[in-house]
Amino acid sequence: MKIKLLEPIGVPAETIEEYARKLTEMGHEFEWFDTVTTDPKELAVRSAGSDVVMIANHPYPESVILSDPDLKMISVAFTGIDHVAADACREKGIMICNAAGYSNQTVAELVIGMAVSGLRNIRKADIQLRKGGTSAGIGGREICGRTVGIIGLGRIGLMTAKLFLAFGAKVIAYGRSRSEEAEKMGITYCSLEEVLAESDIVSLHLPLNGETRGFLNADRIALMKRDAVFINCARGPIVDNQALADALNEGRLGYACIDVYDMEPPLPEDYPLLSAKNTLLTPHQAFISEESMLRRAEIVFENVFAWLEGKPQNVCKI
């Protein structure tokens, strides 16, 4: 089999070479690229002749998938697969496997950091001090005793809830299915409207698909408390970000901590959240830590080994 890693996955070359040796010892060909490209023509050249490709979070379009008649499996070094042309994979019978679980802890920890920053005015305090100011008027609020609403109680949402509970928060959640583990933890399931209206902190953890695109629209944003902190470390297009910016600028929402957008950074200068009030913006980094990148590499290669052995794992429904 010809197996190719088409872009970097955030680990040292020595780590890739270790996995590569195992593949070559099994009799397979392995090639990897240490630069990112989003050019479909270049991706097609890199992919040519592959039985298996490994990608991260950059688009893998239909034209590239259809250009490789040998392609049988895609191992995605990411949780979401919305950047892969799933229809083309379904048409050709190509299996997609993801790296589910690698970033649960890492994402959840950034959400907590954002919540603390939003409630305790850390960004504002830093700016104020540098301008010669003091702590006057920026003491903020604690997480303990506040109500946290988790929208989407999958693995990352559940991990985030655990950390908020450790801070002494009350956690309520909205999700399509109920988790016995969540209920044992004391998490209360509510309607979406109740979660939005009752929460001091709202953290979004839905996948991006046809049903969730634009899910948090202007009407739903309007249900949140005027002093609520909204956090999105899931997917940008789930939120109407223009409506979110409007709510912040008009004082209808307290604070927003955003890691994901309608496109990958760098963002255009006129992107609405860049000029919105009371925001903490990060450049899609929630999934990145030293530990999570090593976990991701292990999973994405293990997916390939499992597929080669006829025992595929982390198979995505497409």
Side-chain angles (χ1 to χ4, degrees):
M1 295 283 184
K2 291 184 178 180
I3 301 161
K4 297 182 181 181
L5 173 60
L6 303 185
E7 58 183 314
I9 54 173
V11 295
E14 293 79 10
T15 301
I16 301 297
E17 289 166 0
E18 183 179 343
Y19 289 115
R21 280 194 296 272
K22 184 175 178 180
L23 285 168
T24 55
E25 287 169 1
M26 294 169 65
H28 304 291
E29 296 181 35
F30 180 76
E31 183 178 3
W32 62 291
F33 298 85
D34 60 1
T35 59
V36 172
T37 182
T38 56
D39 176 28
K41 291 183 179 179
E42 174 61 21
L43 278 172
V45 170
R46 293 186 182 190
S47 302
S50 301
D51 296 285
V52 176
V53 298
M54 290 179 280
I55 62 171
N57 62 318
H58 294 94
Y60 199 60
E62 179 180 14
S63 62
V64 178
I65 292 169
L66 296 179
S67 72
D68 184 358
D70 300 315
L71 188 59
K72 303 173 183 67
M73 187 267 203
I74 302 172
S75 185
V76 181
F78 213 58
T79 302
I81 60 167
D82 48 279
H83 57 298
V84 181
D87 289 345
C89 292
R90 190 184 307 112
E91 178 184 332
K92 292 188 63 179
I94 297 168
M95 181 179 292
I96 303 175
C97 300
N98 71 350
Y102 80 93
S103 64
N104 295 0
Q105 183 75 30
T106 300
V107 174
E109 288 190 9
L110 186 66
V111 171
I112 295 294
M114 286 178 155
V116 172
S117 182
L119 288 174
R120 296 297 304 276
N121 300 310
I122 292 176
R123 182 170 182 269
K124 183 178 179 180
D126 177 79
I127 294 170
Q128 194 158 303
L129 177 70
R130 293 174 190 277
K131 292 181 177 180
T134 70
S135 61
I138 55 172
R141 298 169 288 164
E142 297 178 351
I143 292 175
C144 183
R146 315 219 87 78
T147 297
V148 175
I150 305 292
I151 300 177
L153 207 59
R155 282 177 284 191
I156 294 178
L158 191 61
M159 177 62 73
T160 302
K162 287 180 180 179
L163 296 184
F164 274 118
L165 286 167
F167 273 77
K170 173 187 175 183
V171 177
I172 60 178
Y174 167 78
R176 290 191 302 177
S177 58
R178 292 180 176 251
S179 161
E180 184 178 343
E181 182 181 359
E183 291 177 339
K184 287 181 178 178
M185 289 165 55
I187 297 170
T188 303
Y189 281 89
C190 301
S191 68
L192 175 63
E193 291 74 19
E194 288 171 326
V195 169
L196 291 171
E198 296 177 16
S199 299
D200 301 298
I201 303 165
V202 176
S203 189
L204 186 64
H205 296 282
L206 294 172
L208 177 62
N209 54 43
E211 295 179 6
T212 62
R213 188 176 293 274
F215 180 85
L216 203 67
N217 56 25
D219 290 340
R220 286 171 171 166
I221 290 170
L223 295 175
M224 286 191 274
K225 293 181 178 182
R226 295 181 70 89
D227 63 350
V229 175
F230 172 68
I231 303 170
N232 184 10
C233 288
R235 291 289 187 276
I238 297 173
V239 181
D240 181 338
N241 287 301
Q242 180 63 65
L244 178 63
D246 291 342
L248 290 161
N249 289 330
E250 294 166 12
R252 294 183 284 107
L253 183 64
Y255 205 88
C257 305
I258 308 297
D259 184 58
V260 286
Y261 310 91
D262 301 280
M263 72 286 291
E264 286 296 312
L267 301 176
E269 291 183 2
D270 61 351
Y271 191 76
L273 288 175
L274 290 177
S275 58
K277 298 177 181 177
N278 299 325
T279 55
L280 173 64
L281 307 179
T282 53
H284 198 183
Q285 70 179 70
F287 66 98
I288 303 171
S289 68
E290 291 181 12
E291 296 85 353
S292 69
M293 293 298 94
L294 290 172
R295 285 193 296 266
R296 181 172 77 161
E298 180 179 7
I299 293 170
V300 77
F301 276 95
E302 286 299 329
N303 284 347
V304 175
F305 295 134
W307 181 82
L308 291 170
E309 294 169 0
K311 300 175 182 178
Q313 63 181 24
N314 297 316
V315 179
C316 300
K317 293 181 180 180
I318 57 174

